[in-house]
Amino acid sequence: MHPPPPSAAAAPGFIPPADSRDPDARRPGSSRTPRVVKKKGELLTEDEKKANHIASEQKRRQNIRVGYDQLIQIVPTLTPSQRSEALILQKTVEYIRYLLMEREILESQVKEAGH
């Protein structure tokens, strides 16, 4: 059985959601491709479209990394050295099932105590 997780904000190494306007706030020293913004009605060149696509994809990947990092901090059976996405998801599902089972047990105890 797993102990209940500490409050997410109090967990050591907790990674708060970063400001979505600044993906570099999550990782110091990260490089990103700046998005090209033009005035309304102006069309982007193919190179500008490609640069925007690359920037969007980098942001999406970074957000996924942050999510996995948060799962590693919350799920007690995971350690920062475990970087396999499949393992992280598997252990997260196991932990959620454990929490649901614990909840059922506590709810039945409350019902029994109320009678």
Side-chain angles (χ1 to χ4, degrees):
M1 295 268 166
H2 307 294
S7 164
F14 172 70
I15 303 167
D19 184 358
S20 62
R21 292 168 295 189
D22 187 6
D24 288 340
R26 288 184 282 271
R27 288 199 190 260
S30 69
S31 62
R32 68 177 181 140
T33 306
R35 289 187 56 91
V36 177
V37 180
K38 289 195 168 191
K39 294 179 184 175
K40 189 173 182 174
E42 286 188 68
L43 299 177
L44 298 177
T45 67
E46 288 303 314
D47 286 341
E48 291 168 333
K49 288 179 188 177
K50 183 176 181 179
N52 282 351
H53 175 74
I54 290 170
S56 295
E57 181 63 15
Q58 288 174 342
K59 183 177 179 180
R60 184 189 73 83
R61 287 180 184 171
Q62 180 60 29
N63 288 335
I64 291 170
R65 273 188 228 108
V66 168
Y68 278 109
D69 289 342
Q70 290 174 336
L71 287 174
I72 288 170
Q73 295 302 318
I74 292 169
V75 178
T77 57
L78 288 171
T79 63
S81 64
Q82 294 171 312
R83 297 305 308 171
S84 163
E85 292 175 358
L87 179 67
I88 292 169
L89 292 176
Q90 177 185 3
K91 294 214 178 242
T92 299
V93 168
E94 289 172 5
Y95 186 56
I96 290 170
R97 286 186 176 143
Y98 162 77
L99 291 174
L100 290 171
M101 182 184 68
E102 286 291 309
R103 179 180 167 187
E104 284 182 25
I105 292 168
L106 291 172
E107 286 175 348
S108 67
Q109 289 174 352
V110 167
K111 275 186 181 177
E112 289 174 14
H115 283 100

